[in-house]
């Protein structure tokens, strides 16, 4: 089947009012109130002293950050080194607590926002930019308060010992994913690249051995252009996965620390329902994907190529295994479910406090446990409700992301109603099928009954409505 090259772009000016309507519908917060901005500016000038009154000075270590190009809200910086036959991972996380007074205006607003929200035209930050992009951000060349995790690994990448302390750090470089990947591919010898790869690969292997799993779906991304926005399918670069392993390592260490300390807020997910696994095996057989009985689904997922159309359809179906994730606070008796099935270990969010509310609480808990100090009352009092706050905020963020993508899809395809496109059937539902266009990067409903899961098909665009945020196809 021949493919035609398409480069369809949505008009940016025409879409902005639609984005504003979507935000209003979802009650996305707008500008910060004056009292929040005033308190944030004051705390940026005069941060709160740490619990216990002192910080470890680690400004002599050359920490670096690694983020998407152009990022300014830098939560994490790392310093990787060899330690005997193993490794020492030092992971600095922005100390947002130094700038947010419990019960104050910034704190209350963070609980209202819950997380930083992203739309194609605008980012809605969790904290005022004077904090999130300046005073608290781990920008290069700036001395910053931070929680620094020290995690000793053996030669296989397994955790030997860990600790987290309030410190001060200074990043020496702001790296981005494309440049790091290019440097590694060009055989760079700097530790920042070599050790990230070594540790990342070791941690990936350990995760797969214990049953950790990732769907490895190609992301549907809205991409800015000179005229507005377009859509593309994007798979993460290898160095993004290595970097993610450092964050996952820290989150698993934090989860174990909370369980040992008898207090915390875990990110949990129950094991997959055996009925869902059985159905997924039937789907694999229908798509011609070999799934031998002795191979568990984590091993299978790691071996699949998401660029293959049949695999893309299978991975969409596999999403059913990732249900039931939650944030669970506890003080004393741990929750019934203490692990995250996709991580295959206890896990806690502690690496993105500039952009996610719960991390500030997790960091305070872990630092208090390591210092053998009492967990602050303001942290303990938040634990019963923090999980539901996070769930509500993430639901809003997911709705904003999906709604914005639907808008861009409709705007891009609007002038092409009646035209035919090549697609893959990635899901079957009552009364229709979900199809993924090969180009542009659109996922939408084909209303008519019919189609086989994983089949390459031609579909005709029947509707593309910005007002309804809806795109529909029929079989060509």
């Amino acid at each position: 089947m021949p493919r035609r090259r398409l480069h369809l772009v949505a008009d940016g000016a025409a879409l902005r009012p639609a984005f504003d309507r979507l935000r209003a519908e979802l009650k996305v917060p707008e500008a910060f109130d004056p009292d929040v901005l005033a308190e944030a500016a004051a705390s940026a000038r005069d941060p709160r002293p740490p619990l216990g009154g002192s910080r470890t000075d680690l400004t002599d270590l050359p920490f670096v950050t690694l983020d998407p190009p152009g990022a300014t809200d830098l939560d994490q910086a790392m310093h990787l080194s060899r330690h005997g036959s193993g490794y020492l991972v030092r992971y600095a996380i922005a100390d947002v607590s130094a700038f947010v007074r419990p019960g104050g205006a910034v704190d209350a607003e963070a609980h209202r926002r819950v997380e930083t929200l992203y739309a194609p035209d605008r980012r809605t930050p969790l904290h005022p930019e004077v904090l999130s992009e300046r005073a608290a951000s781990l920008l290069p060349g700036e001395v910053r308060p931070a929680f620094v995790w020290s995690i000793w690994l053996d030669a296989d990448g397994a955790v030997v010992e860990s600790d987290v302390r309030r410190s001060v750090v200074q990043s020496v470089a702001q790296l981005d994913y494309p440049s790091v990947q290019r440097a590694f591919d060009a055989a760079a010898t700097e530790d920042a690249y070599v050790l990230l790869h070594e540790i990342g690969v070791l941690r990936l292997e350990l995760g797969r051995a214990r049953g950790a799993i990732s769907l490895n779906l190609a992301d549907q991304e809205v991409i800015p252009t000179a005229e507005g926005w377009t859509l593309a399918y994007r798979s993460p670069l290898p160095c993004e996965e290595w970097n993610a392993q450092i964050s996952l390592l820290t989150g698993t260490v934090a989860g174990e620390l909370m369980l040992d300390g008898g207090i915390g807020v875990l990110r949990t997910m129950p094991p997959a329902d055996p009925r869902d696994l059985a159905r997924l095996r039937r789907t694999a057989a229908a798509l011609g994907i070999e799934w031998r009985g002795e191979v568990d689904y984590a091993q299978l997922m790691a071996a699949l190529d998401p660029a293959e159309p049949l695999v893309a359809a299978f991975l969409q179906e596999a999403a059913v295994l990732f249900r039931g994730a939650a944030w669970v606070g506890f003080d004393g008796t741990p929750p019934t479910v203490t692990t995250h099935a996709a991580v295959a270990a206890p896990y806690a969010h502690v690496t993105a406090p500039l952009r996610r509310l719960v991390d500030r609480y997790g960091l305070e808990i872990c630092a208090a446990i390591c210092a053998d100090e009492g967990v602050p009352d303001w942290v303990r009092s938040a634990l019963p409700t923090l999980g539901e706050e996070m769930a509500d905020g993430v639901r809003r963020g997911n709705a904003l992301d999906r709604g914005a993508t639907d808008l861009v899809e409709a705007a891009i395809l609007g002038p092409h109603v009646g035209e035919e496109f090549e697609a893959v059937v990635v899901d079957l539902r009552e009364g229709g099928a979900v199809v993924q266009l090969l180009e542009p990067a659109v996922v939408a409903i084909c209303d008519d009954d019919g189609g086989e899961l994983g089949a390459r098909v031609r579909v005709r665009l029947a509707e593309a409505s910005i007002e309804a945020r809806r795109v529909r196809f029929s079989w060509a």
Side-chain angles (χ1 to χ4, degrees), residues 7-16 19 119-122 221-231 404 408-409 411-412:
H7 184 66
L8 308 182
V9 178
D11 179 11
L15 268 178
R16 284 192 176 87
F19 289 139
D121 64 328
R122 193 168 77 207
E221 285 197 342
V222 178
I223 299 172
T225 71
E227 300 86 10
W229 293 278
T230 189
L231 289 158
V408 176
E409 289 178 339
I412 285 174

Side-chain angles (χ1 to χ4, degrees), residues 31 33 37 65 79 161 213 222-223 273-274 303 312 317 335 374 395 465:
D33 288 342
L37 292 174
T65 59
H79 179 264
E161 186 181 353
I213 182 172
V222 178
I223 299 172
D273 189 310
E317 292 294 298
R395 278 192 288 267
S465 169

Side-chain angles (χ1 to χ4, degrees), residues 312-335:
F314 177 75
L315 293 178
Q316 289 285 346
E317 292 294 298
V320 72
L321 304 180
F322 288 72
R323 296 186 296 194
W327 289 268
V328 183
F330 67 99
D331 190 351
T333 304

Side-chain angles (χ1 to χ4, degrees), residues 138-466:
L138 303 183
L139 297 166
E142 302 291 342
V143 175
R144 292 289 186 256
F147 292 90
V148 175
W149 292 85
S150 298
I151 306 173
W152 288 265
L153 307 176
D154 65 17
D156 296 321
V159 176
V160 176
E161 186 181 353
S162 65
D163 183 58
V164 60
R165 302 286 174 180
R166 282 183 168 84
S167 307
V168 287
V169 300
Q170 185 173 35
S171 168
V172 299
Q174 182 175 353
L175 307 179
D176 63 73
Y177 296 127
S179 63
V180 166
Q181 192 63 52
R182 285 193 299 269
F184 181 81
D185 292 343
T189 59
E190 294 91 336
D191 279 353
Y193 309 123
V194 175
L195 291 178
L196 177 63
H197 171 251
E198 287 185 22
I199 295 170
V201 169
L202 286 172
R203 293 300 302 176
L204 275 167
E205 291 173 351
L206 286 172
R208 289 166 183 161
R210 69 173 184 266
I213 182 172
S214 171
L215 281 180
N216 292 324
L217 287 169
D219 292 331
Q220 184 187 24
E221 285 197 342
V222 178
I223 299 172
T225 71
E227 300 86 10
W229 293 278
T230 189
L231 289 158
Y233 297 121
R234 175 187 174 277
S235 295
L237 294 168
C239 70
E240 293 180 62
E241 185 59 56
W242 308 333
N243 189 54
Q245 289 302 311
I246 303 298
S247 181
L248 284 168
L249 165 66
T250 307
T252 57
V253 168
E256 293 282 7
L257 186 61
M258 290 174 182
L259 288 172
D260 289 343
I263 182 171
V265 53
L266 299 174
R267 180 64 165 154
T268 65
M269 189 173 78
D273 189 310
R275 292 170 297 182
D276 290 334
L277 280 170
R279 183 174 70 82
L280 193 60
R281 280 190 176 272
R282 293 193 294 271
T283 300
L287 292 171
I289 294 173
E290 184 180 8
W291 188 352
R292 297 189 303 275
E294 71 276 11
V295 175
D296 65 30
Y297 74 95
Q299 294 170 316
L300 176 72
M301 298 297 178
L304 295 177
D305 179 3
E308 292 291 329
L310 292 177
V311 172
F314 177 75
L315 293 178
Q316 289 285 346
E317 292 294 298
V320 72
L321 304 180
F322 288 72
R323 296 186 296 194
W327 289 268
V328 183
F330 67 99
D331 190 351
T333 304
T336 303
V337 176
T338 60
T339 61
H340 191 292
V343 182
Y347 180 64
H349 276 151
V350 293
T351 62
L354 292 174
R355 292 169 285 163
R356 193 169 50 209
L357 174 66
V358 69
D359 300 52
R360 173 158 53 101
Y361 290 84
L363 287 163
E364 287 285 347
I365 291 168
C366 291
I369 293 171
C370 283
D372 197 23
E373 298 170 340
V375 174
D377 289 341
W378 63 269
V379 175
R380 287 185 183 274
S381 64
L383 293 180
T385 58
L386 192 55
E388 192 52 45
E389 285 182 86
M390 287 300 305
D392 288 343
V394 168
R395 278 192 288 267
R396 178 169 59 188
N398 290 341
L400 177 63
D401 181 64
R402 184 64 251 173
T405 303
D406 289 343
L407 280 171
V408 176
E409 289 178 339
I412 285 174
L413 292 174
H416 302 274
V417 171
E419 295 184 19
E420 294 183 7
F421 297 83
E422 299 171 49
V424 177
V425 178
V426 295
D427 197 6
L428 296 176
R429 299 178 183 175
E430 185 176 349
V434 179
V435 295
Q436 176 178 301
L437 300 194
L438 301 187
E439 197 175 358
V442 170
V443 179
I445 294 291
C446 190
D447 281 341
D448 304 327
D449 287 328
E452 295 183 3
L453 193 64
R456 290 276 292 266
V457 296
R458 290 188 73 84
V459 293
R460 181 175 292 107
L461 181 59
E463 178 188 9
S465 169
I466 292 177

